[in-house]
Amino acid sequence: MRRRTPPPPAPLPQRDGVDPVRVRLPYEGAWDTVREHLVARLTGAGPGVVEAMFDAGQVVGADGRAVAPDAPYEPGRYVWFHRDPPAEVPVPFPVEVVHRDEHIVVADKPHFLATTPRGTHVTQTALARLRHELGIPTLTAAHRLDRLTAGLVLFTVRPEERGAYQTLFRDRAVRKEYEAVAPYDPSLALPLTVRSRIVKERGIPAAREVEGEPNAVTRVEPAGHRDGLGRYRLVPETGQTHQLRVHLSALGVPILGDPLYPRVTPPVPAGDFRRPLQLLARRLEFTDPVTGVEHAFTSGRTLRAWASPREWTAGTP
């Protein structure tokens, strides 16, 4: 069994806040050249794309020098390159910085903006924006917030400290409080704690509840109601994918603007920001594992369906 050694630092700078792609050549394989392997590996890049990258000197080794198109295949070698990001519709809302020190950045993310680069969302992410705007290339997310959910996200500044902050979330040492707007049901006895088992299958958009030992726990509390709408305070004890959305839907009060629960609806056109999911990560509280400081942060955002119901009904962005 081969002992994995840490990869060398990236020889290429970030581009628009996005790291270069790092590839380690597998030990098993029948490729003669580095180029042959990347052509086989990056089948989704399109015909001729990988070859053009080599011709332009855009694939580099650990020393920062371009890898020749006929460079022999060396198992375990690292190479880096930048891929052209997919065309993205800009999300026209700012990322607000709630707190910044030498260890962490706490940001207030808008709806529709992904936390970190993934899939078709690369430059239009909170991480890429903050790296660029704050000039902190080492910035990394300590946890993730769904693209459709707005609110507080914790980022770490120093790579060597990231694990300490991630451990807070793993060990459930962070108190998270969310706010949601959904239909009001006077027969729903609140507060209550929902416990269920949620599974999320790869390639299927919506998660679902199944029989078995609960792995998702949410405290649901009332925070007001008017004109048929309810405002709910949600305190999750666990962090399953779409947990809050699944639990409110199961209670018969699905969150307004939810495209997945209780049923999957067709995707809206790119750039349609009129009906954001009415879910907000309102508060984050934790003891800083590096400094020992007791932190308590609150989002300054509001949910439109509650704050401006006429705008919500009219679909005003």
Side-chain angles (χ1 to χ4, degrees):
M1 182 176 180
R2 297 183 181 88
R3 183 185 298 248
R4 287 189 66 90
T5 57
L12 294 175
Q14 291 173 354
R15 182 187 294 173
D16 295 325
V18 179
D19 291 322
V21 177
R22 184 187 71 221
V23 172
R24 191 184 195 194
L25 305 185
Y27 281 91
E28 292 78 24
W31 303 280
D32 293 326
T33 65
V34 177
R35 183 177 66 173
E36 284 182 10
H37 171 68
L38 291 184
V39 168
R41 184 167 183 158
L42 304 176
T43 55
V49 171
V50 174
E51 291 86 346
M53 290 166 54
F54 275 94
D55 292 340
Q58 296 173 345
V59 180
V60 305
D63 58 3
R65 296 181 179 179
V67 177
D70 59 350
Y73 185 89
E74 300 176 29
R77 180 182 184 180
Y78 289 97
V79 296
W80 288 259
F81 53 89
H82 278 289
R83 297 186 66 174
D84 291 332
E88 299 178 66
V89 175
V91 177
F93 312 111
V95 181
E96 306 290 349
V97 174
V98 175
H99 173 86
R100 176 182 179 182
D101 61 34
E102 59 184 319
H103 305 284
I104 61 174
V105 171
V106 179
D108 202 350
K109 183 185 81 67
H111 291 105
F112 301 108
L113 191 69
T115 301
T116 57
R118 185 180 183 184
T120 59
H121 305 286
V122 180
T123 59
Q124 288 300 303
T125 60
L127 179 61
R129 281 197 190 179
L130 289 171
R131 281 175 170 176
H132 180 71
E133 294 171 4
L134 301 181
I136 308 177
T138 57
L139 199 69
T140 308
H143 65 121
R144 291 182 61 181
L145 198 61
D146 285 347
R147 183 179 69 87
L148 299 183
T149 304
L152 299 177
V153 185
L154 174 65
F155 297 87
T156 63
V157 174
R158 299 175 175 176
E160 66 271 19
E161 296 174 349
R162 181 189 183 195
Y165 291 97
Q166 287 181 316
T167 299
L168 290 177
F169 292 90
R170 184 199 66 192
D171 294 346
R172 303 177 187 174
V174 178
R175 186 181 188 276
K176 297 181 285 185
E177 182 180 304
Y178 290 73
E179 182 180 312
V181 178
Y184 173 65
D185 181 356
S187 67
L188 189 60
L190 299 178
L192 60 79
T193 299
V194 183
R195 293 180 173 86
S196 71
R197 184 166 191 82
I198 294 176
V199 297
K200 174 68 170 65
E201 299 173 8
R202 189 179 184 89
I204 298 177
R208 59 191 176 92
E209 291 182 306
V210 298
E211 296 293 330
E213 184 71 20
N215 63 358
V217 181
T218 304
R219 177 75 172 174
V220 183
E221 302 175 358
H225 67 87
R226 65 177 184 231
D227 301 325
L229 293 181
R231 188 181 185 193
Y232 300 89
R233 182 181 300 110
L234 309 174
V235 182
E237 295 183 17
T238 55
Q240 296 298 320
T241 300
H242 298 175
Q243 174 178 318
L244 305 180
R245 300 162 65 180
V246 170
H247 279 169
L248 279 195
S249 180
L251 291 175
V253 286
I255 299 173
L256 297 188
D258 197 326
L260 297 180
Y261 307 98
R263 64 187 61 85
V264 178
T265 58
V268 299
D272 186 345
F273 304 113
R274 293 176 297 172
R275 294 294 178 90
L277 176 70
Q278 295 299 277
L279 180 62
L280 173 67
R282 174 65 74 189
R283 284 183 65 81
L284 275 181
E285 300 178 15
F286 59 93
T287 301
D288 195 301
V290 177
T291 66
V293 172
E294 296 290 337
H295 289 302
F297 303 110
T298 302
S299 169
R301 299 186 184 276
T302 58
L303 293 174
R304 187 187 307 158
W306 187 259
S308 305
R310 290 185 179 179
E311 291 183 7
W312 173 264
T313 302
T316 305

